[in-house]
């Protein structure tokens, strides 16, 4: 007779979530390259421009979670994430801070906002995340945000290494990373509470860990696309044209 796997205790489940950090994109070769000061200005610009697409879609993901959540108390706390990213008029929040980073690395905000530099692989990965949040239960979608558990470390690594290796980047561009150090820790506390309270059987816990891996896959895939285009010089359609002929999100 096959033995039924035991449900993890709260402490064991939390540790299993933490252990997923070994797959966080801080260990991706592209990020390691940036951290160690081996990235060119073009590569950093490409990362900033493509990551912008992820940044502007985070509020859409959070709005989807709230739209599916019947719990007023959860919505009252979760909405802060949207405010952090979108800001409160006329403050632009995290989106505006990211555009200042773009300017600090030598891009124009118009070019970044146009999304003309967003690679198809990045767009597909980010859109998959937003669509998941729209279709999944709010508890599952909320748990996918727990990659934030590992975020303070990656933001701190940028704050420590980038000024040293890339003195040409204006210090004003680092505001986003500084703000996320405290915001991410607050978000993790809320998201972890929801997750530990919501997934209480072995089957549920296994599904949640798979969802977290899905989110890690998305973050890793974004850097895979950037590596192909800006490290190996194999952007989409590179064998037939040097032009950016890929679609610009007209079908979203």
């Amino acid at each position: 007779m096959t033995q039924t796997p035991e449900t993890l205790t709260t402490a064991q489940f939390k540790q299993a979530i933490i252990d997923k950090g070994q797959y966080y994109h801080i260990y991706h070769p592209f990020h390691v390259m940036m951290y160690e000061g081996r990235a060119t200005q073009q590569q950093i610009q490409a990362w900033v421009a493509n990551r912008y697409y992820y940044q502007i879609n985070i509020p859409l993901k959070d709005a989807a979670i709230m739209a599916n959540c019947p719990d007023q108390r959860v919505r009252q706390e979760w909405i802060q994430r949207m405010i952090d990213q979108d800001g409160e008029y006329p403050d632009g929040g995290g989106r505006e801070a990211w555009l200042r980073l773009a300017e600090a690395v030598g891009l124009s905000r118009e070019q970044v906002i146009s999304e003309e530099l967003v690679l198809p692989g990045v767009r597909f990965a980010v859109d998959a995340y937003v669509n998941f949040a729209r279709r999944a239960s709010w508890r599952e979608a909320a748990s996918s945000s727990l990659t934030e558990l590992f975020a303070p470390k990656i933001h701190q690594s940028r704050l420590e290494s980038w000024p040293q290796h890339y003195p040409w980047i204006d210090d004003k561009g680092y505001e986003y990373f500084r703000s996320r150090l405290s915001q991410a820790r607050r978000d993790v506390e809320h998201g972890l509470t929801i997750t530990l309270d919501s997934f209480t059987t072995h089957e549920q816990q296994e599904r949640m860990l798979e969802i977290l891996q899905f989110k890690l896959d998305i973050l890793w895939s974004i850097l895979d696309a950037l590596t192909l285009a800006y490290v190996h010089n194999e952007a989409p359609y590179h064998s037939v044209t040097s032009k950016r002929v890929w679609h610009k999100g007209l079908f979203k």
Side-chain angles (χ1 to χ4, degrees), residues 9-75:
T9 65
T10 299
Q12 290 171 333
F13 186 31
K14 181 177 180 180
Q15 188 58 53
I17 293 170
I18 293 172
D19 289 345
K20 283 292 187 179
Q22 65 185 302
Y23 307 116
Y24 194 48
H25 63 160
I26 193 172
Y27 303 113
H28 192 287
F30 196 95
H31 190 274
V32 173
M33 177 183 68
M34 292 192 294
Y35 173 77
E36 293 180 347
R38 295 183 285 111
T40 65
Q41 183 172 4
Q42 182 192 38
Q43 288 167 337
I44 290 179
Q45 288 177 340
W47 177 78
V48 171
N50 278 269
R51 179 78 181 192
Y52 173 78
Y53 188 68
Y54 176 82
Q55 300 301 141
I56 63 173
N57 274 279
I58 291 301
L60 302 184
K61 176 268 298 183
D62 290 326
I65 291 173
M66 290 199 300
N68 292 330
C69 177
D71 190 319
Q72 179 188 21
R73 184 173 178 181
V74 171
R75 295 198 306 270

Side-chain angles (χ1 to χ4, degrees), residues 8 28 49 78 103 122-123 126 132 137 158 196 226 240 249:
L8 299 176
H28 192 287
W78 204 271
E103 292 175 322
V122 173
R123 190 180 296 276
V126 173
F132 166 77
S137 73
R158 293 165 186 154
L196 296 177
L226 283 163
V240 293

Side-chain angles (χ1 to χ4, degrees), residues 1-160:
M1 180 179 293
T2 303
Q3 187 175 5
T4 303
E6 293 185 3
T7 300
L8 299 176
T9 65
T10 299
Q12 290 171 333
F13 186 31
K14 181 177 180 180
Q15 188 58 53
I17 293 170
I18 293 172
D19 289 345
K20 283 292 187 179
Q22 65 185 302
Y23 307 116
Y24 194 48
H25 63 160
I26 193 172
Y27 303 113
H28 192 287
F30 196 95
H31 190 274
V32 173
M33 177 183 68
M34 292 192 294
Y35 173 77
E36 293 180 347
R38 295 183 285 111
T40 65
Q41 183 172 4
Q42 182 192 38
Q43 288 167 337
I44 290 179
Q45 288 177 340
W47 177 78
V48 171
N50 278 269
R51 179 78 181 192
Y52 173 78
Y53 188 68
Y54 176 82
Q55 300 301 141
I56 63 173
N57 274 279
I58 291 301
L60 302 184
K61 176 268 298 183
D62 290 326
I65 291 173
M66 290 199 300
N68 292 330
C69 177
D71 190 319
Q72 179 188 21
R73 184 173 178 181
V74 171
R75 295 198 306 270
Q76 287 172 334
E77 290 191 58
W78 204 271
I79 196 172
Q80 185 60 49
R81 298 167 185 249
M82 293 180 62
I83 295 172
D84 289 341
Q85 290 295 335
D86 279 342
E88 293 183 281
Y89 185 81
D91 168 43
R95 177 187 295 221
E96 178 60 27
W98 198 267
L99 287 171
R100 286 196 290 271
L101 172 62
E103 292 175 322
V105 302
L107 294 166
S108 71
R109 64 173 49 216
E110 291 77 18
Q111 184 177 33
V112 175
I113 291 172
S114 75
E115 301 177 13
E116 66 181 70
L117 296 178
V118 178
L119 296 163
V122 173
R123 190 180 296 276
F124 295 151
V126 173
D127 289 354
Y129 184 35
V130 176
N131 289 331
F132 166 77
R134 288 170 175 158
R135 297 193 310 268
S137 73
W138 72 269
R139 294 178 188 275
E140 290 182 338
S143 72
S144 72
S145 296
L146 275 182
T147 49
E148 293 166 337
L149 185 64
F150 321 118
K153 182 178 180 180
I154 205 169
H155 293 314
Q156 187 63 50
S157 74
R158 293 165 186 154
L159 290 169
E160 291 174 355

Side-chain angles (χ1 to χ4, degrees), residues 4 13 24 35 46 50 67 73 89 102 110 116 126 145 161-162 169 192 197 221 227 232 237 241-242 247:
T4 303
F13 186 31
Y24 194 48
Y35 173 77
N50 278 269
R73 184 173 178 181
Y89 185 81
E110 291 77 18
E116 66 181 70
V126 173
S145 296
S161 66
W162 282 30
I169 299 179
L192 195 56
D197 289 345
S221 295
T227 299
H232 300 300
Y237 309 105
T241 181
S242 61
H247 81 283

Side-chain angles (χ1 to χ4, degrees), residues 155-223:
H155 293 314
Q156 187 63 50
S157 74
R158 293 165 186 154
L159 290 169
E160 291 174 355
S161 66
W162 282 30
Q164 174 186 352
H165 296 308
Y166 312 111
W168 49 270
I169 299 179
D170 191 321
D171 184 69
K172 295 178 181 178
Y174 296 124
E175 179 184 338
Y176 181 86
F177 303 143
R178 295 190 185 101
S179 66
R180 287 305 296 167
L181 287 175
S182 59
Q183 291 173 357
R185 292 189 179 97
R186 178 206 64 212
D187 292 346
V188 162
E189 183 177 350
H190 184 216
L192 195 56
T193 297
I194 291 172
T195 299
L196 296 177
D197 289 345
S198 299
F199 302 90
T200 57
T201 68
H202 172 76
E203 183 180 20
Q204 291 171 345
Q205 291 171 344
E206 285 296 302
R207 177 165 172 77
M208 182 271 152
L209 292 173
E210 275 296 293
I211 289 170
L212 186 57
Q213 185 62 56
F214 163 72
K215 173 64 180 303
L216 291 164
D217 293 349
I218 286 168
L219 296 174
W220 198 273
S221 295
I222 288 172
L223 294 184

